């Protein structure tokens, strides 16, 4: 039998004091940091409600794609799983099944039952929907975090809106979504670097000029007369994307400032270019203490 003194001796062994083991332990503790179950419950409702909006307003192309199956160019995952293009009838059935699954998932959170089952149904339906949507010549990286969210949320288990019990499973799910949010921006910065050959190659280009001339609103078209201002904007955007991983370690006021910066950027692009990036914006809620909302401040653990 292992005694308490034996446990102390083992934990203080030279191997456990090695920098590598301490680093691995610190990384694991960070990745599995527990969060209140109420936070995931509230986030689940937000995500499942947004999926309804997404398939009805943002990514509505699946049913029309069924009329032009010859244009289907499946992504790697669709090819690996041998997913064929959906017919209009199949797309319509999938739409209604996905909407019903989202409603059921929200009700499951409220009742505190069948949350894994309904969450898995949403994940499967939404992945099939998005794989078809992305198989016709356009890959929307703004959906990365949302697709990760519907995938990992069922792993959090049963959550209730007023249950503030800390949970590592809940913490892991939200951390995975946070990483996906940051990867959306950091990956974009790396891709700009790779395609342009250097950061300066993209930041000093005429990308903003092209975008404004193509779809700019009167709010932004005046900047075409000041090319230096657009170059400053491109450098600012690139640096924000490149250093986006810093957000993962921010807390308190600085975290809210960072989140506000990204959201204000997306608001500006929507007003000036009509690009909203809503799927990623919604997933920024994974960084927020949603359990502090007034209607969730109840029944804490002893």
């Amino acid at each position: 039998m292992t005694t308490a003194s034996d446990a102390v001796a083992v934990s203080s062994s030279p191997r456990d004091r090695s920098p590598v083991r301490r680093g691995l332990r610190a990384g694991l503790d960070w990745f599995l940091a527990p969060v209140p179950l109420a936070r995931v419950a509230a986030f689940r409702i937000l995500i499942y409600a947004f999926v309804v909006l997404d398939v009805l307003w943002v990514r509505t192309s699946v049913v029309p794609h069924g009329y032009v199956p010859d244009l289907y160019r499946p992504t790697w995952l669709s090819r690996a799983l041998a997913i064929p293009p959906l017919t209009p009838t199949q797309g319509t059935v999938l739409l209604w099944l996905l909407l019903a699954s989202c409603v059921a998932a929200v009700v499951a959170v409220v009742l505190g039952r069948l949350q894994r089952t309904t969450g898995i149904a949403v994940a499967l339906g939404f992945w099939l929907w998005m794989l078809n949507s992305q198989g016709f010549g356009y890959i929307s990286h703004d959906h990365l975090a949302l697709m990760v969210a519907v995938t990992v949320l069922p792993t959090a288990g049963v959550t209730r809106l007023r249950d503030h019990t800390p949970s590592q499973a809940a913490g892991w799910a939200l951390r995975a979504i946070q990483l996906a949010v940051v990867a959306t921006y950091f990956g974009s910065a790396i891709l700009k670097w790779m395609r342009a050959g250097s950061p300066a190659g993209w930041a000093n280009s005429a990308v903003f000029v092209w975008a404004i001339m193509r779809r700019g609103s009167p709010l932004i078209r005046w900047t075409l007369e000041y090319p230096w201002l657009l170059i400053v904007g491109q450098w600012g955007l690139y640096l924000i994307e490149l250093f986006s991983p810093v957000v993962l370690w921010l807390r308190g006021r600085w975290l809210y400032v960072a989140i506000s910066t990204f959201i204000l950027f997306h608001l500006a692009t929507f007003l000036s270019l009509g690009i909203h990036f809503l799927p990623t914006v919604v997933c920024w809620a994974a960084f927020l203490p949603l359990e502090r909302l007034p209607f969730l401040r109840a029944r804490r653990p002893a």
Side-chain angles (χ1 to χ4, degrees):
M1 176 180 290
T2 302
T3 64
S5 59
D6 294 332
V8 173
V10 171
S11 63
S12 59
S13 64
R15 292 185 62 188
D16 288 335
R17 291 200 303 267
S18 67
V20 174
R21 292 178 68 86
R22 289 202 304 269
L24 291 175
R25 168 55 66 180
L28 190 61
D29 290 342
W30 176 83
F31 199 76
L32 299 177
V35 301
L37 289 170
R39 184 180 303 185
V40 173
F43 187 75
R44 274 174 163 166
I45 292 179
L46 175 64
I47 290 299
Y48 295 142
F50 181 80
V51 169
V52 172
L53 176 66
D54 191 79
V55 298
L56 291 178
W57 180 59
V58 182
R59 306 305 313 164
T60 60
S61 56
V62 172
V63 175
H65 283 167
Y67 293 100
V68 286
D70 294 341
L71 300 181
Y72 184 55
R73 299 295 182 269
T75 59
W76 175 87
L77 185 58
S78 296
R79 295 194 302 271
L81 298 177
I83 299 177
L86 300 177
T87 66
T89 301
Q90 291 171 337
T92 302
V93 171
L94 176 61
L95 174 61
W96 284 106
L97 289 176
L98 187 51
L99 294 175
S101 298
C102 290
V103 173
V106 171
V107 174
V109 174
V110 175
L111 298 180
R113 303 181 62 181
L114 298 175
Q115 294 178 17
R116 281 196 178 95
T117 302
T118 55
I120 291 173
V122 172
L124 292 176
F126 191 59
W127 269 88
L128 182 57
W129 182 270
M130 287 302 299
L131 287 175
N132 182 276
S133 176
Q134 310 298 285
F136 284 80
Y138 175 71
I139 304 296
S140 52
H141 67 291
D142 62 331
H143 277 71
L144 171 63
L146 183 60
M147 296 180 73
V148 171
V150 298
T151 303
V152 301
L153 281 176
T155 67
V158 177
T159 60
R160 292 178 174 82
L161 289 170
R162 296 183 179 181
D163 185 357
H164 288 239
T165 304
S167 167
Q168 282 189 321
W172 176 86
L174 290 183
R175 186 69 78 192
I177 299 167
Q178 293 172 3
L179 289 169
V181 170
V182 169
T184 302
Y185 302 96
F186 186 70
S188 177
I190 298 302
L191 188 60
K192 290 181 176 68
W193 190 326
M194 293 174 59
R195 288 185 173 179
S198 68
W202 185 90
N204 291 329
S205 68
V207 174
F208 279 11
V209 173
W210 173 80
I212 295 171
M213 293 183 65
R214 179 170 172 260
R215 57 190 303 170
S217 70
L219 292 175
I220 196 68
R221 293 189 67 85
W222 63 271
T223 59
L224 293 173
E225 301 179 9
Y226 304 93
W228 64 268
L229 185 60
L230 297 177
I231 295 297
V232 170
Q234 289 175 179
W235 271 106
L237 170 59
Y238 185 80
L239 292 176
I240 289 175
E241 290 182 334
L242 186 63
F243 292 101
S244 58
V246 175
V247 177
L248 294 168
W249 287 274
L250 296 179
R251 294 292 181 272
R253 181 182 304 174
W254 288 109
L255 175 61
Y256 301 144
V257 169
I259 294 175
S260 300
T261 300
F262 282 96
I263 292 178
L264 287 175
F265 161 71
H266 291 306
L267 177 61
T269 57
F270 175 68
L271 295 176
S272 59
L273 301 174
I275 302 173
H276 55 73
F277 236 72
L278 269 179
T280 303
V281 170
V282 169
C283 290
W284 274 107
F287 289 85
L288 301 177
L290 301 177
E291 73 279 2
R292 297 181 186 176
L293 293 172
F295 59 88
L296 298 182
R297 294 176 182 173
R299 196 165 64 79
R300 298 177 180 274

